[in-house]
Amino acid sequence: YEQAMELPEDLCRFDLTLSDDANDHNAALKSLLNKTPPRRSRADLLDSASRVAEGQERYTALSDLAEIAAHELPLMVFEHELYLRLHTVWQPIDVSQLAYELSNRGYQDLIAALSKKNRDELFQRVLLIPKLQRSVEELRNSPTLLPCKDGVFDMQTMCPRPIADRDGFFSCLDISAYEIGGNTGNTFESFVGNLSNDNMNVRQRLLEIIGVILSGYMPKSFFVFIGPHDTGKSQVANLLRRLVGD
């Protein structure tokens, strides 16, 4: 209660009743943490956040610093984990990685002044920011999209495009999206023809399997290549491993 009452009235207005019940106390603080601060200028946020090292208005300062992180970094929260977009894919990050990324954005002096406890509290504040929350439905990608290391190739339009905020990829192909479709594909067609022994049914199934794996779609099944030695099973596995990893 005493910590809550130290907050300025223009930041949060709420009703808090004195109680000896720990559940009431925790619920009140949780309600306070979920309050969204009013939008302010970047300079004002920095000025307020810089005072956290001096112990002044700690809750306000950490909230402002969390807002800076949400504005400066490509972040999202999915299933209670914090993710940072690196190039094309979302990768989970922890407290130290969040501090590292903020330091790289020019806030190294501010981050260096934070105690370990302050950094942990900052991380928890970022996890609570409503606009960062993402659901499974929001991260569902079209199966026609191929995530690459520098963008996305759309198989429906047969054109590459830059990564977009709406994309929700957790892995990508180790190739450039801008290299796809530029050649005739004779080498790949010859490769598939040798593997399938020019059997159209085998060729179709092989291309379907490759397409599913490249798209990142997670089917409720797995694929097993069986057959005699030296028929190309390992070649297919090596090709896919080079594209998407182990």
Side-chain angles (χ1 to χ4, degrees):
Y1 175 80
E2 292 174 354
Q3 292 173 333
M5 290 303 293
E6 292 176 359
L7 285 166
E9 293 184 1
D10 60 345
L11 175 68
C12 298
R13 296 186 181 276
F14 56 96
D15 293 325
L16 185 63
T17 303
L18 282 171
S19 173
D20 293 330
D21 192 328
N23 291 329
D24 289 346
H25 178 74
N26 292 335
L29 287 179
K30 183 177 180 181
S31 174
L32 176 61
L33 291 177
N34 284 327
K35 295 288 184 180
T36 302
R39 186 175 298 277
R40 290 180 286 170
S41 68
R42 183 173 181 271
D44 188 23
L45 289 172
L46 279 173
D47 178 65
S48 177
S50 64
R51 287 176 288 181
V52 68
E54 303 171 8
Q56 300 176 14
E57 303 177 2
R58 184 166 61 93
Y59 282 94
T60 306
L62 288 174
S63 292
D64 290 339
L65 188 53
E67 187 176 338
I68 289 173
H71 178 74
E72 296 281 341
L73 301 173
L75 298 171
M76 77 164 181
V77 178
F78 176 61
E79 294 186 346
H80 310 295
E81 279 196 85
L82 184 62
Y83 287 81
L84 172 74
R85 176 184 280 131
L86 296 176
H87 304 295
T88 304
V89 302
W90 291 104
Q91 295 189 2
I93 62 172
D94 56 18
V95 175
S96 61
Q97 289 169 307
L98 176 62
Y100 175 80
E101 293 295 332
L102 283 171
S103 295
N104 284 344
R105 294 303 197 282
Y107 303 104
Q108 58 270 21
D109 293 339
L110 187 58
I111 294 300
L114 298 179
S115 66
K116 182 181 183 303
K117 181 179 180 181
N118 289 154
R119 295 187 184 193
D120 291 340
E121 290 179 0
L122 169 63
F123 188 83
Q124 293 303 317
R125 285 300 186 95
V126 174
L127 285 175
L128 292 173
I129 295 177
K131 68 180 180 181
L132 297 183
Q133 311 301 316
R134 302 287 288 274
S135 65
V136 173
E137 290 72 22
E138 291 175 304
L139 296 175
R140 200 179 304 279
N141 301 298
S142 169
T144 65
L145 300 178
L146 290 179
C148 304
K149 62 183 180 181
D150 58 357
V152 178
F153 187 83
D154 191 333
M155 293 186 291
Q156 192 168 26
T157 63
M158 294 303 293
C159 294
R161 66 165 174 80
I163 194 71
D165 290 339
R166 64 181 180 276
D167 294 327
F169 302 112
F170 293 89
S171 64
C172 69
L173 307 180
D174 190 22
I175 57 176
S176 170
Y178 299 88
E179 294 178 359
I180 301 176
N183 299 311
T184 60
N186 292 335
T187 302
F188 180 74
E189 286 294 339
S190 176
F191 173 72
V192 174
N194 290 335
L195 290 177
S196 62
N197 198 24
D198 292 325
N199 183 315
M200 294 305 295
N201 290 331
V202 174
R203 179 183 185 279
Q204 180 67 23
R205 178 55 59 87
L206 184 60
L207 292 177
E208 289 174 355
I209 292 172
I210 294 175
V212 167
I213 293 174
L214 292 185
S215 70
Y217 175 72
M218 302 296 288
K220 295 181 179 179
S221 59
F222 60 92
F223 307 108
V224 178
F225 294 101
I226 58 175
H229 293 292
D230 299 324
T231 55
K233 301 185 300 297
S234 297
Q235 294 182 45
V236 176
N238 290 336
L239 170 66
L240 293 171
R241 188 176 294 111
R242 289 289 298 274
L243 289 173
V244 300
D246 293 326

